[in-house]
Amino acid sequence: MTPEAPAATLAPPAQPSTSASPTVRQVWTRSRGLLLALVILLVAAVAIAVVRSGAQHGSLDPRSADAAGSRAVAELLADQGVSTRVVTNLDQAGTAAGPDTTLLVARPDLLTDRQQDLLHSAYRNSGGRTVLVAPGTPSVGTLAPGVDADPTPSYDSTLSPACALPAARRAGTADTGGIRYSTDAPGADACYPSDGLPTLLRLPASEGDGDTVVLGAPDILQNEHLDQQGNASLALQLLGSRTHVVWYLPSLSDDSATDAGDRSFLDLVPSGWLWGTLQLFIAAVLAALWRARRLGPLVPERLPVAIRASETVEGRARLYRKSNARDRAAGALRSTTRTRLAPLVGVSPAQAHAPEALLPALSAQLHQEGQALHSLLFGPPPRDDAALIALADQLDALEREVRRP
């Protein structure tokens, strides 16, 4: 193989450069439909949020006259001389508990575990009444010890008392159907059963005259249901047994909701997340072991096809030209020429790339100056493609001259 093959492919006619990368205009044309859909979706979400925020003033809020509010109950209680005060933080609710007070907890499931413990400690032996509105599994076990929430709710909203509790017997049927409960607490009144499980419980306190009422549904307290069945009678009797009603609406702005106490960050992470993270870590380790490189002896493999030397030279030449690597191309041409010339002038292959060994032997055979040969075989890289082609021609001519008998 002569140096002419790569040299001939290093400087083909210039081809127009092409790019597969999309332009900014193309990207905008392709994505503007999706962006417009996202903007419309965002505007619609904001509009719906604004409309709903203006129409809903608070479920079970005694200051709200909306359908889900409880202003009507507060007004009826006021007519009977019972005052109603709204509180939104745990400290106010805890200090308000007393023998002449009914503490109503509107959304018990919004309370954290720590808030539930503190609230239960505050009203447990206060001598007053505590009404829990539709507490579920997250809160009923702490706020009403000995009570469990059944996972299957009542399918009937209007139920009959079927118990000896005076307030329930006087009220008659009421819309208490919701969460069903079971309890083994002694002396408990189980009312308004649905499929054998009550939806209203009254649990007497272990000490004093206080009690806790667990109500399975908020319907009897809401404005839209108050005039139906015996809802108003039952609500007034449950809330009007004391002279004051403290209406506790749990709020996310309450400082006690974010107070972690002495717990660390890991204590605040649910156990399910910790177990899930451990499982993901084990899965990642197993995947790494599965896909890891196996260490062992190298196994030679035969090439699936034979590639002609001319194609290899042409491909490498094109790569050199694409990256403007004239220095590497010239170095490859000079190195190959020196390797072929050394045996022809009696120089060992080990000394083929040493100027002090190769140049004197070439000068003696060709009767040329060593400086010209040094510049040709060991000189600097060419400045442009034309100089590279000229260098290839000169190296080819030098090799032919040495081979000439």
Side-chain angles (χ1 to χ4, degrees):
M1 183 185 350
T2 64
E4 293 181 354
T9 59
L10 289 175
Q15 300 292 333
S17 60
T18 60
S19 175
S21 301
T23 64
V24 177
R25 184 182 182 87
Q26 292 174 335
V27 172
W28 165 248
T29 302
R30 296 174 184 175
S31 59
R32 61 185 178 184
L34 178 61
L35 293 177
L36 180 60
L38 291 177
V39 171
I40 294 175
L41 182 62
L42 180 60
V43 172
V46 172
I48 293 174
V50 171
V51 171
R52 295 192 63 180
S53 64
Q56 189 75 15
H57 300 294
S59 176
L60 291 181
D61 191 333
R63 301 162 298 187
S64 173
D66 292 343
S70 302
R71 184 174 177 179
V73 175
E75 295 290 343
L76 293 177
L77 289 173
D79 293 340
Q80 294 184 358
V82 179
S83 64
T84 302
R85 180 165 67 97
V86 178
V87 298
T88 57
N89 62 72
L90 183 63
D91 293 338
Q92 293 176 338
T95 56
D100 60 343
T101 301
T102 298
L103 175 62
L104 183 143
V105 184
R107 304 180 190 91
D109 290 348
L110 294 181
L111 299 174
T112 63
D113 294 342
R114 181 173 179 272
Q115 286 179 309
Q116 295 171 20
D117 292 334
L118 294 176
L119 183 61
H120 180 257
S121 300
Y123 69 72
R124 179 174 52 189
N125 296 319
S126 64
R129 167 170 287 182
T130 303
V131 178
L132 306 176
V133 181
T137 302
S139 61
V140 68
T142 302
L143 298 178
V147 177
D148 295 321
D150 191 81
T152 304
S154 170
Y155 293 105
D156 297 322
S157 59
T158 304
L159 301 172
S160 301
C163 67
L165 182 65
R169 294 179 64 87
R170 286 193 291 265
T173 58
D175 293 328
T176 60
I179 301 177
R180 304 186 306 161
Y181 303 98
S182 60
T183 182
D184 55 1
D189 292 310
C191 302
Y192 297 97
S194 175
D195 292 336
L197 292 179
T199 58
L200 186 148
L201 291 175
R202 190 194 72 87
L203 309 171
S206 57
E207 298 179 5
D209 298 330
D211 59 9
T212 300
V213 175
V214 181
L215 185 61
D219 297 14
I220 66 171
L221 303 175
Q222 294 175 337
N223 296 330
E224 61 178 338
H225 300 296
L226 192 63
D227 60 345
Q228 301 172 6
Q229 312 301 330
N231 295 345
S233 175
L234 183 60
L236 293 179
Q237 292 182 79
L238 294 179
L239 301 182
S241 61
R242 271 72 174 174
T243 56
H244 304 288
V245 173
V246 175
W247 204 293
Y248 179 29
L249 297 173
S251 172
L252 295 178
S253 61
D254 189 355
D255 294 338
S256 63
T258 57
D259 185 7
D262 297 331
R263 293 183 295 176
S264 64
F265 174 77
L266 292 179
D267 294 332
L268 298 175
V269 177
S271 59
W273 285 94
L274 296 178
W275 283 110
T277 303
L278 178 60
Q279 293 175 10
L280 290 177
F281 175 76
I282 295 175
V285 172
L286 295 177
L289 293 176
W290 171 50
R291 300 295 296 175
R293 184 183 297 276
R294 303 298 191 269
L295 300 179
L298 296 178
V299 179
E301 296 183 5
R302 298 184 60 183
L303 293 178
V305 294
I307 303 176
R308 293 187 300 174
S310 60
E311 295 181 0
T312 304
V313 172
E314 183 178 357
R316 180 172 295 184
R318 289 184 181 277
L319 291 176
Y320 284 156
R321 181 181 182 278
K322 185 176 181 179
S323 59
N324 291 326
R326 286 185 293 271
D327 53 344
R328 292 183 177 272
L333 292 173
R334 284 167 169 162
S335 176
T336 303
T337 302
R338 292 195 300 263
T339 301
R340 290 199 294 260
L341 290 176
L344 299 177
V345 296
V347 177
S348 65
Q351 299 292 323
H353 306 291
E356 63 276 8
L358 180 64
L359 294 180
L362 281 174
S363 299
Q365 182 170 342
L366 299 176
H367 306 288
Q368 292 185 7
E369 297 182 0
Q371 184 63 34
L373 294 175
H374 186 279
S375 176
L376 179 61
L377 294 173
F378 299 95
R383 298 184 303 273
D384 50 27
D385 291 347
L388 179 60
I389 295 175
L391 174 64
D393 293 338
Q394 294 172 9
L395 292 173
D396 186 53
L398 175 62
E399 186 173 350
R400 286 199 303 268
E401 185 176 356
V402 173
R403 291 179 180 274
R404 184 181 306 163

